[in-house]
Structure formats: structure tokens, C-alpha cells
Amino acid sequence: MIKRFNFEIKKNTIGLILFFTVLSIQSQEIDILIKNGHVFDARNTIDAIMDVSITDGKIIQVAPSISEEHAKQVIDASGLYVVPGLIDPHTHVFVGSRSNKFADGNNSLSPDDFSFKAGVTTVVDAGTSGWRNFQLFKTQVIDESKTRILVFLNIAANGMSGDKLQQDLNEMNIAKTSEMVLKYPETIVGVKIGHFKGSDWEPFDRALEVCRRTERPLFVECHLPEYSLKEQLNKMRPGDIITHSFENISERMPVVDKEGKVLPYVLEAKEKGILFDVGHGGAGFWFNQAIPALEQDLWPNSFGTDLHRFSMNAGMKDMLNVMSKYLNMGMPLKEVFLRGSYYPAKAIKRDDLGNLGPGNIADIAILSLRKGAFGFIDARNNSIRGDKKLEAELTIKGGKVVWDLNGLAAKPFENN
Ligand SMILES: [Zn+2]
């Protein structure tokens, strides 16, 4: 009897809490209310016309109809897609590092100049810094940018500061790299191995050891003849990420053979849980690899752009262009959205990103799907035609409008 009585009290208490929670949500001031958009949020299984309310930089509610009564600003997203802010897991944004005394080899861009206009709210810098110059990167760029910048820390102490330093084993210190990762656990989401030209697996193994110690994924960008793709994939663990997945310069790293069949060890790696990132860049995306791979279910897990000084003016352009490429190659729109934010957030173990769960950071991309005649170029200057293109109408980062293509959030002009 006593037990039952307690249960009743508990049930009533929960009921009351729920009642007051709903009441408080309804009467709460809303900073931004996005109305009538098609919300796609895989984590919370939402794929419908919904409203989204934002207050103090956080998502408050996603529901079929939220009253405008307490909203300071209303954005009508009719006919548009509302998705979690896009995440680009392969960029180079250590601007200014060219002028530091170690640097001569990186082509970084300022992230805010390129991110928001493509719906991107989070970028991961892929190894432009290592443990020795990460602090400089942080104070010079990460802390000064509006874009959320996360980092795959290079196993090479100075990151991509010239070829010579990236070949030096003395620069690859497990203890120092691990220490820096654990000092900034919120920002450093993994470790990068890349650009090593020797045949020694020591750099790869050291990077992997840092990942083991710090429980983070390895980000692999090795495209050198001495490191065969098969061996790389063998060494990688489930959750580790390989980039430039659809590149085949000088037949270095094909995922499909000459007959266009996906290689068996690549499929095995995918089954094992290795994540394939596009890593488009200036050279890392070939239609003759990507199209047969897509047809044979080797789909990328994320659309890393490898944003740098040259890729943005070539076939890559921006992340929405890469996503549009896949859309026109035959990937369904929802699968494209999944790989634009939810999957990369999971890959870097950031549950607070890539979804629109209440209480989470309000990073949102409002996208239009344009119909027309478009062309898309790969890294070999081959083109395909297409009839669909995603465009960023409006981007919200931490509850603030940071990009507004057609003035959806602006006041109508009155001549007074
Ligand atoms: Zn890169």
C-alpha cells in the first residue's frame, strides 16, 4: 500500500512539473521564432513542417505551431529547409600562420569569410596546427572568430608549417601532443596524420597512440605511395576518419578498381566502421571514383571541403556546392542533410551539435533547394550537369543571424 501511495505522489509530481514546464515555455520570451520551415533533425526524428523557437542562444522548442505572441523576431521559412548548422570537418583556417617563423606551406583562409554564407556554423581545422603552435592558432584565430573552430591537432609539432618539419620524426611527440589535446578537450576533437613522405609507419603509429590515450578519432590524410590505402585502413579503428576518399592521383589511392568496382578491402573498412570524408580540396575529389563509389553504397560520412586558398576558387567552391554535387549524383536530399551536420557531429563526438534538441546551441541553416540548370566540376576539371542546387538563405550561429541572403530577418524598407 505504502509503495503504491508513493508511486501516485511521484506520478502527480511529474505531471505538475510537466504542466509548469509547458506553461513556462509558452509564456517565455522568444528571441527568434522560425515559422513554417521544413525541419529536418535526424537525431530527434523530425522531418516535417515545424516552428523553432530560440532564446538566449539556445533552442527552446521545435513544435508544429508556436505562437508569435512572445516573439521578438519572426522569420518565415515557408518553402525552405531548416536544418542543424552545417559542420565542415576538413578546413584550413590558421590564417596568419604563413607569417610566423615556422610557416611556409599552408594556404589557410579566414573562416568567417566563407562559413556562414554556406550554412556552415562549425569547421574543424585539419592539422594546420600542432602542439607547438596551437596556442597561437587559438589566440590569433579560434578566439577571434564567430565560426566555431574545432581542431584535429597535427602529430607534427608545428602542423603544416612547411614540408621539412612535417617529415621530421623528432617533431612528432606523443606525450606533448596528448598533453595539448587534454588541455583543450572542448576544442581539440582528434589528431591528424598527413603529408608524411617516408615509408616509415612510425608517424602514423604515434598519431594513433595519441588518439588511444585521449580517446579521440584519428584523421587520416596520407596520399603517398609508400603508405598503401589497404595498410592505412587496416591500421585505422572504427570511428577513425579518412579524407580525400575519392581521389586517385597517379593511382595512389583508388577506392574503386579500373573496372569501377569498389575494392573489397575498402568495403571491409566501411563495414568495420571507418568513416569516409569527402575532403574535396583542389585535388581530392574525382567523379570517376565518387560516382561508382556512390552507386556501390560507399557513401561519404561527411562533406569535408578541404577549404583553402585554392579549392574555394576551383571545383569545390563551398560545402553546399559539394552537397549539391552529391544531390545531383543521386544521393537523396535527406541523406545529404544527414551528412551535412548530424553525422559529422557524431564523428567528432559532439552531441550538442548537429541537432535541434531543446537546450542545445541554436546553430541553424535555413536552406533553399533551387531548381534550374547547374554545372559541377571535380578536381580534374570534369563537369556534370544538374538541376538542383542548395543555397543558404539564412544562417544562425548561437542564436544570432550571421547570414541573410534575401533579407528574411531584416526590416522591410520604409522611406522615412
Ligand atoms: Zn587538407
Side-chain angles (χ1 to χ4, degrees):
M1 273 306 277
I2 292 168
K3 262 187 184 165
R4 192 170 181 169
F5 179 68
N6 276 343
F7 174 72
E8 287 301 323
I9 287 183
K10 232 182 193 169
K11 209 167 85 178
N12 285 338
T13 315
I14 290 167
L16 274 176
I17 291 169
L18 276 177
F19 176 72
F20 284 116
T21 307
V22 170
L23 259 190
S24 76
I25 283 177
Q26 281 173 352
S27 58
Q28 195 170 4
E29 282 258 295
I30 296 170
D31 291 339
I32 299 176
L33 176 60
I34 304 166
K35 297 279 295 176
N36 310 316
H38 187 143
V39 175
F40 185 73
D41 174 8
R43 162 92 182 271
N44 297 297
T45 55
I46 298 172
D47 178 12
I49 306 292
M50 289 271 182
D51 295 349
V52 181
S53 63
I54 298 165
T55 295
D56 292 336
K58 300 269 166 66
I59 307 277
I60 301 300
Q61 201 185 7
V62 180
S65 182
I66 302 174
S67 164
E68 294 179 25
E69 195 186 341
H70 300 284
K72 288 185 213 159
Q73 181 168 34
V74 178
I75 294 170
D76 183 10
S78 300
L80 302 171
Y81 290 94
V82 178
V83 301
L86 303 180
I87 300 171
D88 186 342
H90 186 162
T91 63
H92 296 283
V93 295
F94 190 176
V95 267
S97 59
R98 276 197 296 277
S99 60
N100 87 52
K101 62 178 177 170
F102 298 111
D104 63 19
N106 105 69
N107 294 302
S108 284
L109 291 172
S110 175
D112 295 351
D113 297 1
F114 299 91
S115 54
F116 302 138
K117 61 197 294 182
V120 173
T121 48
T122 299
V123 300
V124 189
D125 180 275
T128 322
S129 72
W131 69 265
R132 200 175 279 140
N133 56 3
F134 172 78
Q135 300 270 11
L136 178 70
F137 182 25
K138 187 172 183 302
T139 50
Q140 196 166 279
V141 183
I142 297 175
D143 297 347
E144 297 297 321
S145 299
K146 287 186 178 156
T147 309
R148 179 177 300 96
I149 302 171
L150 305 175
V151 165
F152 291 123
L153 197 66
N154 206 314
I155 187 66
N158 289 291
M160 291 163 66
S161 296
D163 191 47
K164 205 172 152 210
L165 287 171
Q166 289 181 87
Q167 309 308 321
D168 188 351
L169 266 174
N170 297 320
E171 290 282 295
M172 301 171 194
N173 187 305
I174 294 172
K176 295 275 192 195
T177 309
S178 305
E179 199 180 299
M180 193 55 78
V181 173
L182 295 174
K183 192 171 172 190
Y184 295 100
E186 300 292 313
T187 305
I188 304 177
V189 295
V191 175
K192 176 185 161 175
I193 174 69
H195 295 200
F196 184 69
K197 286 178 180 160
S199 55
D200 190 349
W201 282 95
E202 187 64 22
F204 198 103
D205 293 340
R206 287 189 195 176
L208 204 50
E209 179 55 26
V210 177
C211 291
R212 283 197 194 96
R213 290 188 185 184
T214 59
E215 298 180 338
R216 275 161 171 75
L218 180 68
F219 190 82
V220 177
E221 190 198 341
C222 302
H223 297 264
L224 302 156
E226 290 80 2
Y227 274 23
S228 82
L229 177 62
K230 192 174 181 179
E231 261 174 291
Q232 289 179 50
L233 294 171
N234 254 337
K235 279 180 172 281
M236 290 168 72
R237 310 156 307 160
D240 288 338
I241 303 159
I242 189 155
T243 192
H244 302 317
S245 297
F246 309 104
E247 173 215 280
N248 192 22
I249 297 171
S250 312
E251 300 183 2
R252 283 196 309 219
M253 212 184 89
V255 287
V256 301
D257 65 17
K258 290 204 171 78
E259 280 71 51
K261 273 203 78 168
V262 175
L263 289 155
Y265 55 82
V266 175
L267 285 177
E268 273 166 38
K270 185 200 151 198
E271 290 305 313
K272 187 170 89 172
I274 306 294
L275 307 176
F276 292 81
D277 176 55
V278 170
H280 192 302
F285 180 86
W286 295 31
F287 284 134
N288 70 2
Q289 293 288 309
I291 291 174
L294 185 72
E295 285 166 357
Q296 292 163 71
D297 297 335
L298 181 71
W299 293 17
N301 185 69
S302 51
F303 297 112
T305 60
D306 195 6
L307 177 77
H308 54 62
R309 273 206 299 168
F310 305 111
S311 63
M312 45 75 59
N313 278 323
M316 188 284 285
K317 297 180 175 66
D318 63 28
M319 189 163 147
L320 279 178
N321 189 57
V322 178
M323 289 166 72
S324 300
K325 236 173 240 192
Y326 269 89
L327 198 56
N328 287 286
M329 280 159 55
M331 187 184 276
L333 181 64
K334 276 157 202 173
E335 297 291 339
V336 171
F337 285 157
L338 278 173
R339 288 157 175 78
S341 47
Y342 181 48
Y343 285 0
K346 282 209 298 186
I348 56 170
K349 300 182 182 169
R350 287 292 296 257
D351 283 350
D352 56 333
L353 304 175
N355 73 86
L356 304 176
N360 273 352
I361 301 161
D363 285 4
I364 295 176
I366 303 183
L367 308 175
S368 63
L369 181 59
R370 292 180 54 199
K371 301 279 166 65
F374 306 106
F376 301 93
I377 309 166
D378 76 356
R380 301 170 75 203
N381 208 28
N382 291 321
S383 74
I384 58 166
R385 310 310 300 173
D387 58 4
K388 308 177 261 289
K389 192 167 194 173
L390 287 164
E391 196 163 66
E393 278 290 340
L394 189 129
T395 306
I396 294 173
K397 159 82 197 323
K400 298 226 159 29
V401 175
V402 287
W403 169 257
D404 186 1
L405 185 64
N406 288 300
L408 282 182
K411 286 198 302 287
F413 172 65
E414 282 169 30
N415 200 5
N416 54 25

